[in-house]
Amino acid sequence: MMRMHRRSALQLLSATAGCSLVAAAGRAFALASRIKPDAASVLIVVDVQNCFIAGGTLAVPHGEDVVAVINRIAPAFQNVVMTQDWHPAGHASFASSYPGRKPFESIKLSYGEQVLWPDHCVQGTPDAALDKDLNIPQTQLIVRKGFHRNIDSYSAFKEADGKTPTGLEGYLKERGIRRVFVSGLATDFCVAWTALDARASGFETYIIEDACRAIDLKGSLAAAWKRMSARGVQRIQSTDIT
């Protein structure tokens, strides 16, 4: 009986040690897999503006929740770029520009299919202002997009025609940036287009999922993630950044 007790004790000790080793290995892997942004990394904060948060003209559900997440991770980045939707009145993407049309319908424009939106982010209005609670003093550049009256602009890199550049690609490459981390609003439109264009421009690209929120218009969120995954955009959480 004593030998049986000793054997059981040894088995228990062995199992406990094994569990401890597995747990330690798990912690080591988690630490090793975390990402430390360096001088060749940039955080792009997409369209965190009054128009896209609660009370705005095109509010993204829970859009205001991204502000705290972005503020928390921003100090990890030496390089930060923000974007700002900046439409003239009567913009081609506004449903009000087409008699009888309603927001969220689609039409064909010269550059392809265009979702029609409520009037939003009109130049110089409080609706177009960046959220006052963003606290990222090291921001180096604000890219205004969508200011061409006849072309919409989702991406921070190119207008919706797919060929008119904003100049951001050249700016980042001139400064030696190789890794792009995208946050902001909305995941399935401006964030996704920015990430896809970043990949097309040769940048290693990450979307910080919990630092974004989506509109999810007719399955647009799932479709956006499918496109991004196919192009090599990596999907991470804010806790993956150290």
Side-chain angles (χ1 to χ4, degrees):
M1 290 296 292
M2 182 61 68
R3 282 196 294 272
M4 288 297 292
H5 289 162
R6 186 178 295 118
R7 186 180 299 117
S8 297
L10 288 172
Q11 288 173 342
L12 178 62
L13 286 170
S14 177
T16 302
C19 289
S20 297
L21 287 171
V22 169
R27 287 193 296 271
F29 177 79
L31 289 172
S33 65
R34 294 184 75 189
I35 301 167
K36 184 174 179 59
D38 55 14
S41 303
V42 65
L43 174 66
I44 300 181
V45 180
V46 176
D47 297 356
V48 182
Q49 297 168 255
N50 292 336
C51 58
F52 296 122
I53 63 175
T57 50
L58 186 52
V60 176
H62 307 291
E64 61 279 3
D65 293 348
V66 305
V67 176
V69 182
I70 293 169
N71 284 345
R72 187 174 71 247
I73 62 175
F77 291 86
Q78 301 175 40
N79 305 298
V80 180
V81 171
M82 293 188 187
T83 72
Q84 193 173 14
D85 236 17
W86 199 248
H87 298 305
H91 191 259
S93 69
F94 294 170
S96 62
S97 298
Y98 308 91
R101 292 286 190 170
K102 296 179 180 179
F104 310 113
E105 292 181 353
S106 294
I107 62 169
K108 291 287 186 180
L109 296 181
S110 60
Y111 52 84
E113 186 174 349
Q114 173 66 52
V115 176
L116 296 178
W117 305 108
D119 291 23
H120 67 282
C121 293
V122 174
Q123 297 171 1
T125 65
D127 191 59
L130 295 169
D131 186 281
K132 63 180 178 56
D133 292 325
L134 281 173
N135 183 25
I136 315 176
Q138 75 273 31
T139 299
Q140 298 148 348
L141 178 69
I142 296 175
V143 176
R144 284 178 168 171
K145 57 188 183 63
F147 55 83
H148 295 296
R149 185 177 300 276
N150 296 318
I151 308 175
D152 203 4
S153 184
Y154 298 140
S155 171
F157 290 90
K158 291 181 181 178
E159 306 285 356
D161 62 0
K163 57 186 179 182
T164 303
T166 65
L168 181 58
E169 179 183 351
Y171 172 84
L172 295 179
K173 289 184 173 178
E174 181 72 17
R175 300 187 61 224
I177 300 297
R178 296 189 299 274
R179 294 197 297 178
V180 169
F181 295 78
V182 190
S183 63
L185 304 169
T187 313
D188 39 345
F189 286 93
C190 297
V191 168
W193 286 47
T194 294
L196 289 167
D197 280 348
R199 281 296 299 139
S201 297
F203 297 102
E204 184 179 331
T205 306
Y206 302 81
I207 283 189
I208 309 168
E209 185 177 15
D210 60 329
C212 306
R213 293 294 184 275
I215 295 174
D216 201 10
L217 182 64
K218 299 176 182 178
S220 57
L221 180 59
W225 279 121
K226 184 176 180 179
R227 288 197 306 274
M228 290 188 286
S229 178
R231 304 284 179 84
V233 174
Q234 300 183 58
R235 183 175 181 173
I236 64 172
Q237 305 298 315
S238 62
T239 51
D240 295 321
I241 296 171
T242 183

